[in-house]
């Protein structure tokens, strides 16, 4: 999950919005301003409803952010690096890199998010009560009532014991403490996540066919996300377990065949490609320094008529964009850097000089041959904080005028906040 709109740093953690979060904001504002609020508090000017809806949306996003920040702060306190927080379509994500070292740390990092949401829910409930007590406008107390319920829903939904939700992390911590096996616990939590995801998809589908269209669509969307995230997490956990503790030097292809940046594409094909059947050729300049990476894919992309005239330098992936490692680095750390890289290959450098390559076939060969190694797994998987309902949309008949909370919460807390897998995703609100 990439942030497309940066909100700067909070406590050193980069915070951003993915554009998809705007979908939530629009649904929330429209649903509240033209659905919930006018039904619950009739007789006010439209501008009042729109303003209240906008404030609700901003405070909702702030609540989500607080949830994620809580994950981030506690993660850091337990030595887990936090690379960023992103709010997106289905909630929030705190990107964690590293592993909680104990079930207790795992539990605290996961539990503090929902705890924060519950505390916020209590706070907004108090404000609701306060506004009513001093005879404030019903719309204002209704707005805070909505936020109170949405925050509590956020906490409750994300506590469902299904990874990558916070509750899945709590389940993992509990099983880890009980079994003493982090891998087994993580796999069990991920499987629970997948089962829950499929359940939501089925529920969403039933909702759709029974005419509750939008709510059903939202549930199915969340279910789909959970199934995908949980499956990826299970797979990732197993790979991490298999590769844990392995150094890059043990895996890399040594002394790779190199080419010169000024050599032409045609020259490389004649000299090396047809002879060695390799997929990756690092470029090395006259001083022996790494100067870029050429892959078969990049060679094939050159028009055959232009092969004579094209220098390898022109088609190479430039050094800053190529993931690199030193021989003593851990393979799992390099893999994190490689995920999302253009060519899926890394160079191993020693003092700027290339000493090896790590390609997809090196990695799959390693995975296939390491099952006998002692396993001691687990990089923090992704998490996600998800919003249990579509936000704000008026749904037939469940809004009772005069009930200050009817304007909002039942119509749905939008997104979720999440902590993401070490590599990536973590919870969805
Ligand atoms: Zn969370």
């Amino acid at each position: 999950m990439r942030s497309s709109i940066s909100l700067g740093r909070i406590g050193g953690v980069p915070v951003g919005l993915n554009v998809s979060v705007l979908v939530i904001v629009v649904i929330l504002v429209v649903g509240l301003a033209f659905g919930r609020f006018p039904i619950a508090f009739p007789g006010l000017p439209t501008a009042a409803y729109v303003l209240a809806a906008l404030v609700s949306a901003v405070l909702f996003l702030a609540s989500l952010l607080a949830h994620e920040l809580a994950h981030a702060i506690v993660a850091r306190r337990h030595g887990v690096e936090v690379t960023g927080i992103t709010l997106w379509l289905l909630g929030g994500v705190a990107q964690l890199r590293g592993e909680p070292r104990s079930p207790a740390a795992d539990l605290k990092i996961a539990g503090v998010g929902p705890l924060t949401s519950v505390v916020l829910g209590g706070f907004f409930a108090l404000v609701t009560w306060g506004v009513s007590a001093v005879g404030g406008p019903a719309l204002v107390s209704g707005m805070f009532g909505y936020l109170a319920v949405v925050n509590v829903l956020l906490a409750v939904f994300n506590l469902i014991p299904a990874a990558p939700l916070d509750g899945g992390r709590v389940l993992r911590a509990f099983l880890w403490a009980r079994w003493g096996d982090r891998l087994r616990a993580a796999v069990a939590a991920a499987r629970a996540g997948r089962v829950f995801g499929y359940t939501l998809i089925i529920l969403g589908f039933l909702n759709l066919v029974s005419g509750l269209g939008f709510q059903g669509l939202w549930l199915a969307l969340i279910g789909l996300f959970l199934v995908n995230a949980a499956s990826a997490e299970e797979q990732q956990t197993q790979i991490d377990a298999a590769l844990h503790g392995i150094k890059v030097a043990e895996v890399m292809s040594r002394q790779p065949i190199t080419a010169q940046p000024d050599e032409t594409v045609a020259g490389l094909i004649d000299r090396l490609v047809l002879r060695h059947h390799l997929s990756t050729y690092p470029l090395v300049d006259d001083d022996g320094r790494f100067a870029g990476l050429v892959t078969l894919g990049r060679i094939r992309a050159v028009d055959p008529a232009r092969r004579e005239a094209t220098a390898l330098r022109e088609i190479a992936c430039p050094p800053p964009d190529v993931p690199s490692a030193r021989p003593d680095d851990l393979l799992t750390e390099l893999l994190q850097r490689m995920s999302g890289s253009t060519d899926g290959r890394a160079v191993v450098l020693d003092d700027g000089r290339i000493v090896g390559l790590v390609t997809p076939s090196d990695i799959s060969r390693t995975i296939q041959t390491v099952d006998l190694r002692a396993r001691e797994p687990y990089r923090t998987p992704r998490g996600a904080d998800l919003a249990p309902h579509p936000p704000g949309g008026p749904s037939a008949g469940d809004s009772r005028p005069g009930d200050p909370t009817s304007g909002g919460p039942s119509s749905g807390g939008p997104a979720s906040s999440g902590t993401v897998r070490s590599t990536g995703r973590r919870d969805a609100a």
Side-chain angles (χ1 to χ4, degrees):
M1 185 61 46
R2 295 259 166 100
S3 293
S4 356
I5 305 163
S6 170
L7 299 181
R9 288 169 173 268
I10 299 180
V13 179
V15 174
L17 302 177
N18 183 276
V19 218
S20 60
V21 84
L22 294 177
V23 175
I24 284 291
V25 171
V26 169
I27 294 173
L28 186 57
V29 170
V30 170
L32 289 177
F34 301 100
R36 294 272 154 184
F37 286 164
I39 294 171
F41 313 102
L44 298 172
T46 304
Y49 299 129
V50 172
L51 184 64
L54 282 171
V55 173
S56 302
V58 169
L59 288 178
F60 171 75
L61 289 185
S63 301
L64 205 55
L65 184 57
H67 178 123
E68 299 311 323
L69 278 171
H71 284 309
I73 290 166
V74 175
R76 244 195 208 170
R77 196 169 294 165
H78 287 88
V80 176
E81 188 191 343
V82 182
T83 55
I85 289 174
T86 303
L87 304 185
W88 68 297
L89 177 63
L90 296 181
V93 169
Q95 266 119 342
L96 307 186
R97 180 173 289 168
E99 313 168 358
R101 296 193 189 99
S102 66
D106 206 9
L107 178 66
K108 285 179 200 162
I109 295 169
V112 72
L115 182 65
T116 303
S117 294
V118 167
V119 169
L120 279 171
F123 168 75
F124 284 124
L126 265 182
V127 176
T128 308
W129 175 80
V131 171
S132 302
V134 301
L139 175 60
V140 175
S141 66
M143 185 186 81
F144 286 113
Y146 167 78
L147 287 164
V149 178
V150 160
N151 271 287
V152 171
L153 280 180
L154 199 66
V156 170
F157 182 79
N158 283 287
L159 276 175
I160 292 169
L165 297 176
D166 293 332
R169 303 280 176 264
V170 171
L171 174 65
R172 182 181 71 195
F174 175 76
L175 295 176
W176 179 4
R178 197 185 160 96
W179 295 337
D181 185 336
R182 211 158 36 164
L183 168 68
R184 209 176 134 207
V187 168
R191 287 186 179 154
R194 211 161 37 182
V195 170
F196 180 55
Y198 280 123
T199 308
L200 285 187
I201 292 173
I202 293 167
L203 279 178
F205 182 72
L206 291 179
N207 263 342
L208 264 179
V209 297
S210 65
L212 294 167
F214 190 57
Q215 179 77 58
L217 204 63
W218 192 262
L219 281 182
L221 198 63
I222 290 185
L224 205 61
F225 168 80
L226 283 176
V227 168
N228 280 327
S231 305
E233 187 162 314
E234 183 178 342
Q235 205 181 7
Q236 189 64 54
T237 303
Q238 276 160 345
I239 291 173
D240 286 351
L243 300 182
H244 187 81
I246 298 180
K247 300 259 169 78
V248 169
E250 298 172 53
V251 171
M252 66 186 189
S253 305
R254 289 165 187 279
Q255 306 302 335
I257 293 175
T258 62
Q260 294 257 325
D262 293 332
E263 190 167 0
T264 64
V265 173
L268 180 76
I269 293 173
D270 284 349
R271 187 171 71 86
L272 294 176
V273 176
L274 299 178
R275 203 167 303 168
H276 293 280
H277 309 291
L278 297 170
S279 65
T280 315
Y281 298 91
L283 304 185
V284 173
D285 65 19
D286 291 340
D287 300 328
R289 305 252 138 201
F290 173 58
L293 200 66
V294 171
T295 58
L296 271 189
R298 286 172 183 269
I299 292 169
R300 277 208 206 91
V302 179
D303 180 349
R306 300 210 20 91
R307 284 178 187 162
E308 291 283 358
T310 307
L312 295 178
R313 176 178 5 92
E314 299 168 50
I315 63 164
C317 184
D321 296 344
V322 180
S324 68
R326 281 166 306 182
D328 283 345
D329 286 350
L330 285 173
L331 179 62
T332 46
E333 287 168 8
L334 175 61
L335 288 180
Q336 289 188 16
R337 295 199 286 276
M338 287 172 73
S339 76
S341 73
T342 333
D343 293 322
R345 289 154 169 80
V347 290
V348 185
L349 301 175
D350 196 358
D351 198 21
R353 273 152 219 285
I354 187 154
V355 294
L357 273 181
V358 177
T359 65
S361 51
D362 295 321
I363 294 161
S364 63
R365 190 183 56 232
T366 307
I367 291 172
Q368 283 161 12
T369 54
V370 289
D371 13 10
L372 297 181
R373 286 171 192 264
R375 64 183 167 78
E376 207 258 298
Y378 210 93
R379 89 205 202 202
T380 318
R382 308 180 179 198
D385 292 304
L386 298 171
H389 298 275
S395 57
D398 61 340
S399 185
R400 284 154 300 154
D403 173 355
T405 62
S406 69
S410 60
S411 62
S416 59
S417 60
T419 12
V420 175
R421 68 161 96 177
S422 68
T423 53
R425 357 173 234 245
R426 202 171 243 229
D427 15 34

